[in-house]
Amino acid sequence: MEIFLIKLLQVALALSILVFVHEGGHFLFSKLFGVRVEKFFIFFDPWFHLFQFKPKNSDTTYGMGWIPLGGYCKISGMIDESFDTEQMKQPVQSWEFRSKPAWQRLLIMAGGVLFNFILALFIYSMVLFTWGQSYIPLKDMKMGMVFNETAQQAGFRNGDILLSADGKPMKRFDIDMYRMMSNAKTVDVMRDGKKKTIVMPEEISLLTMVKETPAFARPYIPSKIDSVMPDTPAAQVGMSKGDHIVAINGTEISSWNEFDMQIGILKDRLAAAKPTTKDSMKVRMATFAFRHGGTGHIDTVKVTLTPELTLGVGKASLADFYKPVTIEYGFLESVPAGAKYGIGVLRGYVDDLKYVFTADGAKSLGGFGAIGNLFPPTWDWMLFWQMTAFISIMLAFMNILPIPALDGGHILFLFYEIITGRKPSENFLLRAEYIGFAILILLLVVANLNDVLRWLGYM
């Protein structure tokens, strides 16, 4: 419950910031061109709102709605999600959106996307300035990687050190590493002190690499215990920090990768057994062998795992075996570095969108549950801001898509007007808004339904 609340708070804070900035972009450009903004709301407010206020001598009512799906500026003289057709029947006023030149209306509509993208670049810059950039170079991971069955069929072997994809060096273990490998024709690795080239099969895509369990490639991390939680199965059998787990139910292991695989097998068995039967207890009663860090002596013990099949140990991390490289940035250095990083994130996100139009890609769509899972289970400001920046880029790109009811749909019609010199009729714009809004509702339902199905174990 605590983890759920922490993630919920992070999602709520991130979305509030992003919606405020996005709608602020529309608001500021509207004010710049003398267009009246009737309402400025964080989140939607059908039927009622959490609060609202209107400053004296102001044309704008500010407030917060109760549905956290976005927010809006109600701009006078504009067909938007408010579907205010009565206003559009009145004579055109000088302070209305529809009375302004097309180029001014274009900037008003692009303001939200522009501000979201600028915010993302600013956040990335400040993250680099505050925390720097720490990572472990792939070439320094001398124990190599652990590969799943798909990767081994392609020619990879456990212990291979990843070097380059199509001759371009792979620097770190992240999504860009997977992306480079999925787009490459050949991948170079170091195996037993010799360089080896692996020809990548055409059928292996980025989606294949990341959706499989276990993943295509993961750093090899020895099964060294970093900590033991009190009153847990591990503590009860005498495990302690520095010990190594060397076998589970007679199967030898040497890494946390193999540990997770064996626990996954037990979880499959537990799922097949009824919780109240003796079969479930048989699954939970496992045999562990562990080597003491101080003496090297190996103990074999019977352990009754928790109902969730947890042992109660903290795992050693890569930083326990390799020295991270840290790049620090001054304030002026962080700005171009953050911009470059953000543009790289956008480029990768756009490149990955091609998978949305596949069957597996459609299943990977997620709603608020998926967004919540982007955030860590404990509050970490650096990760929070990184995820907020990523979602800001994601929202900016999604909003620029030429779908009616989104900013991109309005921008598309404005470009049509600028190029042809003809303005689409208000009836056409209204119908387009209804269609676009229906599309968005459908996508929202599908995305959140996927979250529910994943939670129920059907996906």
Side-chain angles (χ1 to χ4, degrees):
M1 187 62 178
E2 181 182 356
I3 291 176
F4 172 79
L5 291 175
I6 290 174
K7 289 192 173 188
L8 179 63
L9 184 59
Q10 291 181 91
V11 171
L13 179 58
L15 290 181
S16 297
I17 293 171
L18 298 182
V19 169
F20 179 81
V21 170
H22 181 91
E23 300 305 330
H26 296 310
F27 181 88
L28 289 177
F29 275 105
S30 296
K31 290 296 185 181
L32 178 65
F33 298 129
V35 176
R36 182 176 296 175
V37 177
E38 297 176 14
K39 295 180 72 175
F40 183 94
F41 263 63
I42 303 297
F43 304 150
F44 295 133
D45 63 329
W47 304 296
F48 68 94
H49 46 262
L50 299 180
F51 70 86
Q52 70 174 25
F53 67 96
K54 186 176 183 180
K56 188 177 181 181
N57 300 323
S58 174
D59 297 318
T60 307
T61 299
Y62 303 88
M64 177 173 284
W66 60 277
I67 301 181
L69 303 182
Y72 68 97
C73 278
K74 188 178 186 307
I75 300 174
S76 294
M78 174 184 168
I79 295 175
D80 59 10
E81 59 270 20
S82 67
F83 302 109
D84 187 355
T85 57
E86 292 302 318
Q87 185 183 74
M88 305 303 291
K89 295 176 182 178
Q90 304 303 317
V92 179
Q93 303 295 326
S94 61
W95 36 261
E96 288 187 324
F97 177 83
R98 54 182 169 167
S99 71
K100 301 301 178 181
W103 68 270
Q104 292 186 2
R105 286 180 278 134
L106 179 64
L107 287 175
I108 291 172
M109 294 314 306
V113 169
L114 178 63
F115 272 44
N116 270 144
F117 188 62
I118 291 174
L119 173 67
L121 301 188
F122 173 76
I123 291 175
Y124 281 132
S125 297
M126 292 303 97
V127 167
L128 292 178
F129 173 66
T130 304
W131 289 283
Q133 199 171 26
S134 294
Y135 66 97
I136 299 169
L138 282 173
K139 63 182 179 61
D140 291 347
M141 296 183 185
K142 301 304 181 184
M143 291 182 288
M145 309 289 285
V146 176
F147 299 90
N148 68 7
E149 184 177 352
T150 301
Q152 296 196 35
Q153 289 175 352
F156 293 94
R157 296 293 177 266
N158 290 339
D160 285 352
I161 302 172
L162 295 173
L163 299 177
S164 62
D166 283 344
K168 298 179 181 178
M170 291 186 285
K171 295 182 179 181
R172 67 192 73 182
F173 178 76
D174 58 11
I175 190 64
D176 286 336
M177 180 203 79
Y178 283 118
R179 190 176 290 116
M180 289 179 68
M181 293 175 68
S182 67
N183 293 329
K185 294 182 178 179
T186 61
V187 172
D188 291 332
V189 302
M190 185 67 69
R191 182 184 300 169
D192 299 326
K194 297 180 180 179
K195 186 177 179 180
K196 183 175 179 61
T197 299
I198 297 171
V199 178
M200 294 294 292
E202 292 183 359
E203 65 271 14
I204 295 181
S205 66
L206 175 64
L207 194 60
T208 301
M209 289 182 168
V210 299
K211 78 180 183 67
E212 292 184 335
T213 303
F216 189 85
R218 299 141 293 145
Y220 176 92
I221 305 177
S223 52
K224 180 181 178 182
I225 297 174
D226 180 68
S227 60
V228 176
M229 277 66 85
D231 301 322
T232 59
Q236 292 167 4
V237 297
M239 293 183 183
S240 59
K241 179 177 180 178
D243 294 347
H244 285 74
I245 298 175
V246 297
I248 301 176
N249 288 336
T251 300
E252 293 186 2
I253 68 170
S254 61
S255 68
W256 288 119
N257 315 84
E258 296 167 312
F259 175 92
D260 291 337
M261 184 178 298
Q262 293 303 313
I263 294 298
I265 292 173
L266 294 180
K267 286 183 177 180
D268 290 339
R269 292 177 183 171
L270 186 64
K274 294 183 179 179
T276 57
T277 64
K278 294 181 179 179
D279 290 338
S280 64
M281 285 303 300
K282 287 181 180 179
V283 175
R284 290 175 55 194
M285 293 180 64
T287 302
F288 282 77
F290 64 99
R291 184 175 64 250
H292 291 276
T295 64
H297 175 73
I298 296 178
D299 276 338
T300 301
V301 294
K302 289 282 188 181
V303 179
T304 301
L305 299 171
T306 68
E308 295 78 25
L309 295 183
T310 58
L311 181 60
V313 297
K315 301 175 181 179
S317 66
L318 281 176
D320 294 315
F321 303 96
Y322 303 114
K323 184 178 180 181
V325 172
T326 300
I327 303 174
E328 296 183 352
Y329 296 88
F331 182 79
L332 295 180
E333 296 173 313
S334 69
V335 175
K340 181 180 178 181
Y341 186 87
I343 292 171
V345 171
L346 175 62
R347 188 182 296 115
Y349 179 75
V350 173
D351 183 63
D352 296 343
L353 279 180
K354 59 178 178 282
Y355 298 112
V356 172
F357 303 101
T358 65
D360 287 337
K363 292 179 182 178
S364 69
L365 287 174
F368 291 104
I371 293 175
N373 286 330
L374 291 175
F375 291 92
T378 57
W379 198 284
D380 184 312
W381 278 111
M382 184 181 74
L383 294 178
F384 169 80
W385 287 116
Q386 285 179 328
M387 288 302 101
T388 301
F390 173 72
I391 297 172
S392 190
I393 283 180
M394 181 176 67
L395 291 179
F397 181 81
M398 295 302 292
N399 260 293
I400 206 68
L401 293 177
I403 299 175
L406 290 179
D407 295 342
H410 293 284
I411 291 171
L412 176 66
F413 297 141
L414 284 165
F415 271 124
Y416 169 82
E417 180 182 345
I418 292 171
I419 294 171
T420 65
R422 292 180 296 175
K423 187 176 181 180
S425 70
E426 291 180 358
N427 284 335
F428 171 81
L429 292 176
L430 185 61
R431 287 195 297 268
E433 193 77 10
Y434 276 118
I435 293 171
F437 201 74
I439 293 173
L440 294 181
I441 293 297
L442 178 62
L443 290 174
L444 188 65
V445 170
V446 170
N448 285 282
L449 179 60
N450 283 349
D451 285 345
V452 173
L453 292 176
R454 276 190 286 267
W455 180 69
L456 293 175
Y458 290 107
M459 291 181 63

